[in-house]
Amino acid sequence: MKHTEKGKEKNIMDYDTVWPGEGGDAVMIIDQTKLPGTIETIALKTAEEIWEAIYLLKVRGAPAIGVTAAYGISVLAGRIQTEDYDTFLLEVQKQKEYLDSARPTAVNLSWALNRMLCVVKDSAEKPVEEIKKTLAAEAARIQEEDIRVCRKIGEYGLSLLKPGDGILTHCNAGKLAASRYGTATAPIYLGEERGYHFRVYADETRPLLQGARLTAFELQAAGVDVTLICDNMSASVMQKGWVDAVFVGCDRVAANGDTANKIGTSVVAAVAGCYGVPVYVCAPTATIDMETATGAGIRIEERPAEEVTEMWYENRMAPPGINVYNPAFDVTDHTQIAGIVTEYGVARAPYTESLKEIFARKERIDR
Ligand code: MRU
């Protein structure tokens, strides 16, 4: 699907997912609830607009939420009218807690906001106006890092694949969920550049259809061979031998490797286990939460019933008053995961050891 802007034909791959508004007074995003029909950019200026955009999934995907919150706190801090450091810190803290409450599962949200708050805490001796500039620079750094990290994940992920492989993915862990390559799609995009010609199966991902509306959309726009399937078709394509590997993203990985990702990921992993298909979780270290021991400690967001009963349908598709359970994520047990692909390499079981080793490597390289 092509769209025209100022006479030049653009497709979704030509847009950033999140970017800073001119003059630093807004966070700009593509409204993902309008995709694939319309590519509409919106400027988020107030705390309520930023919170709502995250809650309503106008911007979504763990890394993209983190980047939006980082630019968001920078925009909000820029508007605080004081020269007094303590007043400034208190106000930034308040805004940080508010934005952090938008969605609970993706750790990137609190990770990015904490990183921004640290900038303020480490700058107590600086004038407030200078701290505001440092915050804007830090938000841009978080985004640049996200691009580099996704590319690295792409390289490590690609080392697990061979030309012509069939890959199944769930939800959208693509460019639209991050700043450029995405996480689970990064090996696909790098493979495409290098002539690997993968065949990708995108689960539609009920109830919010991130696979159909976003993954199928961006992969098709990038020229990837992508086939859309309903969530209940993964067994069918695996049974036929069409899938060599499952690549998914994640919202939070616990210290033992248990992984929270979009609802339905654990079903895909269970099915893949039946057919001997390896499941790889692509995880920036920012999404690995070593403070949470196991998946049982991950808070799973529950969302409104209307997402299941009527959203995206022309008419409501369930009887009025029906009980609905609508968790947005589930936890895939670490035993079902063949590898966790990070920007510092691929962690393998036992994850309690290998994830520690990934962080030790990060420490050595970043020092
Ligand atoms: O509810 P969403 O659309 O924010 O869920 C997104 C996912 O589950 C993604 O797989 C995850 O955030 C990884 S994005 C690189």
Side-chain angles (χ1 to χ4, degrees), residues 57 60-63 65 103 106 170-174 177-178 182-184 208 210 248-251 261-262 301 328-329:
L57 275 61
R60 33 66 52 206
I65 293 173
R103 294 190 77 188
H170 188 74
C171 192
N172 173 264
T183 58
L208 295 182
Q210 289 93 332
V248 289
C250 54
D251 287 81
N261 190 48
K262 179 51 55 193
E301 176 184 10
F329 302 95

Side-chain angles (χ1 to χ4, degrees), residues 1-229:
M1 199 171 304
K2 296 267 164 86
H3 300 255
T4 305
E5 194 177 87
K6 289 188 191 142
K8 181 181 167 258
E9 224 177 41
K10 290 172 91 176
N11 78 26
I12 192 65
M13 300 309 283
D14 299 316
Y15 290 84
D16 283 328
T17 306
V18 182
W19 66 102
E22 256 171 56
D25 71 334
V27 192
M28 307 297 296
I29 59 164
I30 304 254
D31 183 349
Q32 298 193 28
T33 60
K34 302 264 169 68
L35 297 176
T38 310
I39 299 181
E40 188 178 305
T41 61
I42 45 178
L44 310 173
K45 295 193 169 174
T46 65
E48 290 72 24
E49 283 169 355
I50 299 165
W51 189 96
E52 195 200 59
I54 295 173
Y55 177 72
L56 293 178
L57 275 61
K58 291 182 181 182
V59 58
R60 33 66 52 206
I65 293 173
V67 171
T68 304
Y71 280 126
I73 204 79
S74 162
V75 167
L76 301 176
R79 262 192 232 120
I80 300 170
Q81 297 291 332
T82 184
E83 286 172 18
D84 176 58
Y85 173 78
D86 291 331
T87 314
F88 181 71
L89 172 63
L90 218 67
E91 191 55 30
V92 172
Q93 235 154 359
K94 217 165 76 192
Q95 301 285 17
K96 176 221 169 233
E97 269 151 41
Y98 175 62
L99 293 186
D100 207 0
S101 70
R103 294 190 77 188
T105 306
V107 69
N108 303 57
L109 180 58
S110 50
W111 171 85
L113 288 168
N114 282 331
R115 197 165 140 175
M116 295 296 279
L117 188 64
C118 279
V119 167
V120 181
K121 288 187 173 162
D122 292 346
S123 308
E125 75 298 342
K126 291 189 194 150
V128 165
E129 282 315 303
E130 203 181 314
I131 305 177
K132 290 178 179 175
K133 287 188 193 136
T134 317
L135 280 172
E138 187 69 3
R141 197 168 304 123
I142 288 175
Q143 184 164 38
E144 282 153 23
E145 280 174 21
D146 178 44
I147 296 169
R148 276 203 307 275
V149 161
C150 287
R151 196 175 163 98
K152 279 267 178 206
I153 287 175
E155 295 287 358
Y156 285 116
L158 195 57
S159 73
L160 303 165
L161 292 160
K162 8 175 245 320
D165 270 355
I167 299 165
L168 186 140
T169 190
H170 188 74
C171 192
N172 173 264
K175 168 201 160 72
L176 286 163
S179 300
R180 197 160 299 165
Y181 304 93
T183 58
T185 54
I188 298 170
Y189 287 132
L190 292 189
E192 196 59 27
E193 280 170 23
R194 295 172 198 175
Y196 275 55
H197 303 301
F198 295 129
R199 292 165 291 106
V200 180
Y201 297 92
D203 273 357
E204 66 172 352
T205 317
R206 283 276 293 146
L208 295 182
L209 304 178
Q210 289 93 332
R213 296 187 302 106
L214 309 176
T215 304
F217 183 47
E218 62 166 89
L219 290 179
Q220 185 189 49
V224 173
D225 173 354
V226 56
T227 302
L228 178 63
I229 58 171

Side-chain angles (χ1 to χ4, degrees), residues 255-276:
N256 73 340
D258 289 350
T259 293
N261 190 48
K262 179 51 55 193
I263 189 72
T265 304
S266 69
V267 181
V268 172
V271 171
C274 285
Y275 293 102

